[in-house]
């Protein structure tokens, strides 16, 4: 598995079955605006030091499998009297084609992405949000040592059924201990 820069916003209609099915689908106009923004960033060489998203690619075949990302949940603030907002970034991961689900792609990609973000940034914690119907993503978090930190009951409605919103998180020291205990091996 490899993580590579991603420049293709397209994803098939099945890709949103579990990746936020409760959010609006991409429109052509929205995709064009996103691509225009990417083109401008590429033209200006305006990439952040720590990448905000990378493509998930099968290293053996070169096949594009999905995307790993992170975004601000809460931007840091200035400290005043010992109190401050800390930098809080949330992870995103999607494996588009259901043919790649349950094959270890998500586990390996999230492990690589978490390794990369902890090594390339000063983040003290990382987390991801999903929904209880995305059993595979919940399992990936548990397998990699993420802790279920929050559960918001009946907060998502998917295809007429109510599900919980769930947040899994890991602290830098927990990740390092977990990786050390596994001999640094990828799952």
């Amino acid at each position: 598995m490899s993580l590579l820069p991603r420049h293709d916003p397209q994803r098939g209609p099945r890709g949103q079955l579990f990746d936020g099915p409760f959010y609006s689908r991409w429109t052509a106009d929205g995709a064009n605006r996103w691509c225009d923004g990417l083109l401008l960033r590429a033209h200006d060489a305006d990439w952040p030091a720590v990448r905000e998203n990378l493509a998930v690619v099968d290293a053996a075949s070169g096949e594009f499998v999905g995307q790993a990302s992170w975004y601000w949940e809460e931007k840091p603030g200035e400290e005043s009297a010992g109190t401050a907002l800390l930098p809080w970034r949330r992870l995103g991961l999607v494996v588009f084609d259901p043919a790649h689900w349950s094959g270890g792609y998500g586990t390996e990609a999230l492990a690589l992405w978490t390794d990369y973000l902890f090594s390339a940034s000063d983040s003290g914690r990382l987390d991801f949000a999903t929904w209880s119907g995305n059993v595979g993503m919940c399992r990936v978090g548990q397998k990699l040592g993420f802790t279920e930190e929050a559960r918001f009951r009946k907060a998502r409605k998917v295809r007429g059924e109510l599900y919980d919103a769930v947040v899994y998180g890991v602290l830098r020291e927990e990740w390092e201990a977990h990786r050390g205990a596994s001999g640094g091996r990828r799952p």
Side-chain angles (χ1 to χ4, degrees), residues 116-136:
Y116 167 73
L117 292 174
F118 276 138
S119 69
S121 76
D122 63 352
S123 289
R125 61 167 285 113
L126 296 170
D127 66 45
F128 67 86
T130 189
W131 58 294
S132 58
N134 190 348
V135 176

Side-chain angles (χ1 to χ4, degrees), residues 28-154:
D29 187 49
N32 285 330
R33 280 195 312 273
W34 189 80
C35 286
D36 289 345
L38 275 181
L39 284 172
L40 182 62
R41 288 182 92 173
H43 178 268
D44 295 342
D46 180 28
W47 300 113
V50 180
R51 294 303 299 263
E52 294 170 341
N53 56 56
L54 292 172
V56 176
V57 176
D58 184 309
S61 69
E63 181 182 4
F64 173 65
V65 175
Q67 174 180 282
S69 62
W70 75 331
Y71 56 91
W72 288 110
E73 178 67 21
E74 188 168 85
K75 290 189 177 185
E78 291 189 32
E79 189 165 333
S80 173
T83 303
L85 297 174
L86 297 177
W88 180 5
R89 305 278 294 243
R90 180 154 284 168
L91 304 174
L93 176 68
V94 60
V95 174
F96 296 131
D97 189 342
H100 293 300
W101 297 349
S102 300
Y105 289 97
T107 303
E108 187 173 355
L110 189 62
L112 286 168
W113 189 230
T114 304
D115 278 342
Y116 167 73
L117 292 174
F118 276 138
S119 69
S121 76
D122 63 352
S123 289
R125 61 167 285 113
L126 296 170
D127 66 45
F128 67 86
T130 189
W131 58 294
S132 58
N134 190 348
V135 176
M137 192 63 198
C138 293
R139 260 193 238 122
V140 165
Q142 293 162 356
K143 190 184 303 184
L144 292 176
F146 283 68
T147 299
E148 183 180 312
E149 296 181 329
R151 178 173 291 263
F152 303 94
R153 297 174 297 159
K154 296 184 177 183

